Amino acid sequence: MSFQPKFTNQQETRGEVHAFSGPEWLVGVGFRCWLAGYETGDITCWENGWNTFNRVLGPARAKRAVTELACWVRATRAAAARKIEYNALDSRRFCADECMAMSLIAASQDHRCPAMQACALALTGSDTVDPVIDAANAFADALDEADYRLNQEIVAVLIASEARSHGFGSHGGSLSVPR
């Protein structure tokens, strides 16, 4: 399965939120690829993730970021008291868990401890989130060093869009990632 998304800008059009590039998109795609790789054992998932990070950040910055991404996803899976959901690698949308993962990294970059705790608890369904938060901080630091910061407002729009697409809001809409 090949994952070759196009890079354009984030935009809102007719109630749909498109995150085609940028830090939020990169974190969501990376989280998805690493979860899929751990769950399926298919190295292609990780290769797709690595290729995406390498293309966006360059090889030196991608190496550290992907190392920390892998540690964060592994810690998240180990702490999880439930199955963490993710969409197919070629999906045009991010699911609620992928959005929550983006929110955790955004909170980490902004040093918002209560928000980080809440995101980690929601993502894992477990009270044992200290290793998840530690690993999220290391990944967020790697993204910071690569000058790649998530925008809390964009993450909030992505989460709201996902909720609306499942009937939790008054307006229809979905988070889309181009093929």
Side-chain angles (χ1 to χ4, degrees):
M1 175 180 293
S2 177
F3 182 68
Q4 297 297 326
K6 298 176 187 173
F7 287 87
T8 61
N9 293 324
Q10 296 154 346
Q11 57 188 333
E12 187 168 349
T13 309
R14 284 187 239 125
E16 289 188 343
V17 178
H18 302 276
F20 302 157
S21 66
E24 303 77 21
W25 174 84
L26 187 64
V27 169
V29 168
F31 187 75
R32 175 184 293 171
C33 289
W34 250 258
L35 275 177
Y38 284 131
E39 185 170 304
T40 66
D42 182 357
I43 194 169
T44 304
C45 301
W46 294 321
E47 288 173 344
N48 286 332
W50 163 255
N51 289 335
T52 300
F53 272 74
N54 185 46
R55 189 170 48 252
V56 172
L57 300 178
R61 294 187 301 178
K63 183 177 180 182
R64 170 139 190 259
V66 167
T67 298
E68 300 301 347
L69 166 68
C71 292
W72 170 53
V73 174
R74 189 172 46 249
T76 301
R77 287 184 75 236
R82 65 176 187 84
K83 182 181 182 332
I84 298 174
E85 301 294 327
Y86 61 92
N87 285 346
L89 294 183
D90 62 350
S91 176
R92 296 177 48 89
R93 301 181 47 201
F94 289 112
C95 71
D97 284 347
E98 292 165 333
C99 290
M100 190 57 62
M102 288 181 240
S103 188
L104 173 56
I105 299 306
S108 178
Q109 285 185 323
D110 286 340
H111 307 289
R112 295 185 176 180
C113 295
M116 290 168 38
Q117 184 83 13
C119 291
L121 287 168
L123 185 58
T124 64
S126 168
D127 291 334
T128 311
V129 294
D130 287 341
V132 175
I133 291 171
D134 291 344
N137 285 333
F139 179 47
D141 289 347
L143 291 173
D144 274 339
E145 287 176 15
D147 294 322
Y148 232 63
R149 291 192 53 83
L150 281 76
N151 182 320
Q152 290 277 7
E153 292 176 11
I154 292 172
V155 173
V157 170
L158 298 177
I159 291 170
S161 178
E162 172 61 18
R164 280 193 311 268
S165 73
H166 283 89
F168 297 117
S170 59
H171 300 89
S174 62
L175 170 63
S176 299
V177 178
R179 292 180 195 252

